[in-house]
Amino acid sequence: MKRVLITGAGSYIGMHIAQKLAGAYDVRELDVQKPFAAADFAGYDAVVHVAGIAHRKETAENTHLYRKVNCDLAVEIAKMARDAGVRQFVFFSSMSVYGMVTGRITADTQPNPNTHYGVSKWEAEQQLKKLASDDFRIATLRPPMIYGRGCRGNYPRLSALARSLPVFPKVNNERSMLYIGTLCDFVEKLLESGKGGLYFPQNREYVNTAELVRCIAGCHGKKLLVIPGFGWLISMAASRVSVAGKVFGTLTYDQRMSAEMRDANELSFDKTIRLTEVGE
C-alpha cells in the first residue's frame, strides 16, 4: 500500500483528498504551522502539498507573507521530501498564474501573474521545477475555481446571491470550474501513475454564470428569473472591472489541456451543484 503525506492538515482540499484516498492508501496529514523536520517525510511514496494562503485582502505589507507561505514553504518541504527519498511531489498551483480575469487559456498561453497570490504560486513553480528528476517527480496542478460543499472563496458569495436575488441578468459567458470530487478523482489517478508534469484539471463542462445561479436557486426550491438584454453592459463591465470579470466574463482552459487522467464517469455539472448546495 502506497503511503501519502498531505501537507496542510485541516485544509479544505487536503481533507477531501484524504477522505478519497482512505482505505486504498496509507494517508497521513502534516500540520505545517507547527515545527516539522526531514524525518517527518521518511517512508512516504508521495507528498501532496496543499498548504498555502489565499482569499485574503492583498496589501503591500503582506507581499512577503504570500511568498513565504506559498513559495518558500513549498520549496522547503519539497527539498525535505526529496532528501527523505519521496518519489513524487504534488504541488497545488493555480489558474491565477496567468494573471487573466477574462480570456481563453491554451497550451501556448504563458504565465503573467499580477497578484501576490499568483506571483507567489508562479515563483514556487519555477523553483520546484529545478528540483525535479527521474527520482523525484514534480506534478504541478493549475486548477480553476474549486467548489464543493463547505468550500471557501468566490463560490459561496455567488451561492448567497442566487438564494437572495429574485432576478439575474442573462449572460453568454463560459467559466472553467472544478468540483472537489472531480479533483480528488484526478489526484488519485495521478498518485497511481507516479508521474510528474503540468496538469489542468477542470470539469468536462464549461459553466455559464446565469445557468449556475439558476441551478443553485433551484436546489433550494426557488425559481430565479433570468433577464436578457444586458449583455452589452455586462461585457463592457467584465472587461474593465475585476469583480465583474470574475462573475460575468469568460475565463476557460482549452478542454484538450485537461484530457489526461480524466474520469470517464465524471458527475454532471447539475449533480455537482446539488451535492454542493444540499449534499444529496
Side-chain angles (χ1 to χ4, degrees):
M1 180 181 289
K2 273 190 175 183
R3 300 190 69 210
V4 176
L5 181 66
I6 299 173
T7 56
S11 68
Y12 179 75
I13 294 174
M15 176 184 67
H16 280 83
I17 292 175
Q19 291 174 352
K20 172 66 177 179
L21 300 179
Y25 291 80
D26 179 2
V27 184
R28 298 287 186 274
E29 294 183 78
L30 179 67
D31 185 352
V32 295
Q33 296 186 61
K34 299 177 181 179
F36 58 89
D40 293 318
F41 301 92
Y44 288 97
D45 298 285
V47 168
V48 179
H49 183 69
V50 298
I53 59 169
H55 308 309
R56 57 173 73 183
K57 185 180 174 90
E58 296 189 0
T59 65
E61 289 73 28
N62 65 18
T63 303
H64 73 284
L65 181 61
Y66 275 88
R67 181 175 289 108
K68 179 181 179 181
V69 176
N70 290 344
C71 179
D72 297 347
L73 178 64
V75 174
E76 179 185 3
I77 288 174
K79 288 178 178 178
M80 286 186 174
R82 178 197 61 187
D83 295 345
V86 175
R87 300 276 297 176
Q88 185 186 32
F89 185 84
V90 179
F91 175 65
F92 272 77
S93 185
S94 169
M95 195 184 209
S96 296
V97 301
Y98 292 101
M100 296 170 60
V101 175
T102 61
R104 296 192 182 274
I105 298 169
T106 71
D108 295 324
T109 306
Q110 296 302 306
N112 185 29
N114 55 14
T115 62
H116 298 344
Y117 178 70
V119 168
S120 63
K121 288 292 187 180
W122 175 230
E123 289 179 347
E125 281 193 35
Q126 294 176 90
Q127 293 190 43
L128 289 170
K129 190 174 181 179
K130 297 175 183 177
L131 303 179
S133 69
D134 291 340
D135 296 322
F136 186 59
R137 295 169 181 172
I138 305 283
T140 297
L141 280 58
R142 292 179 185 167
M145 185 176 78
I146 296 169
Y147 67 97
R149 192 154 182 81
C151 67
R152 302 157 194 166
N154 291 325
Y155 180 92
R157 300 185 185 99
L158 197 58
S159 176
L161 280 175
R163 287 179 277 121
S164 62
L165 293 177
V167 297
F168 196 83
K170 184 176 182 180
V171 56
N172 295 317
N173 71 331
E174 292 180 324
R175 307 287 299 186
S176 285
M177 290 175 60
L178 178 60
Y179 177 57
I180 186 65
T182 303
L183 170 62
C184 290
D185 290 340
F186 175 85
V187 171
E188 184 176 31
K189 290 178 182 295
L190 180 61
L191 292 171
E192 287 173 358
S193 75
K195 291 182 178 180
L198 184 58
Y199 300 94
F200 309 87
Q202 65 173 324
N203 290 350
R204 191 183 301 274
E205 304 170 67
Y206 292 138
V207 179
N208 173 271
T209 300
E211 290 303 316
L212 168 61
V213 171
R214 181 154 56 185
C215 186
I216 292 172
C219 288
H220 298 279
K222 177 183 175 182
K223 187 173 182 180
L224 184 72
L225 183 62
V226 176
I227 302 176
F230 294 93
W232 65 273
L233 181 61
I234 291 170
S235 296
M236 181 183 298
S239 65
R240 298 183 182 184
V241 183
S242 177
V243 173
K246 289 179 180 179
V247 176
F248 297 111
T250 286
L251 183 62
T252 60
Y253 279 128
D254 184 331
Q255 287 287 352
R256 290 172 293 185
M257 299 167 68
S258 308
E260 191 169 359
M261 288 182 272
R262 171 168 265 162
D263 192 338
N265 299 313
E266 180 182 323
L267 294 175
S268 70
F269 175 70
D270 287 354
K271 178 65 175 178
T272 67
I273 294 301
R274 185 154 192 86
L275 287 169
T276 299
E277 292 296 321
V278 296
E280 61 180 36

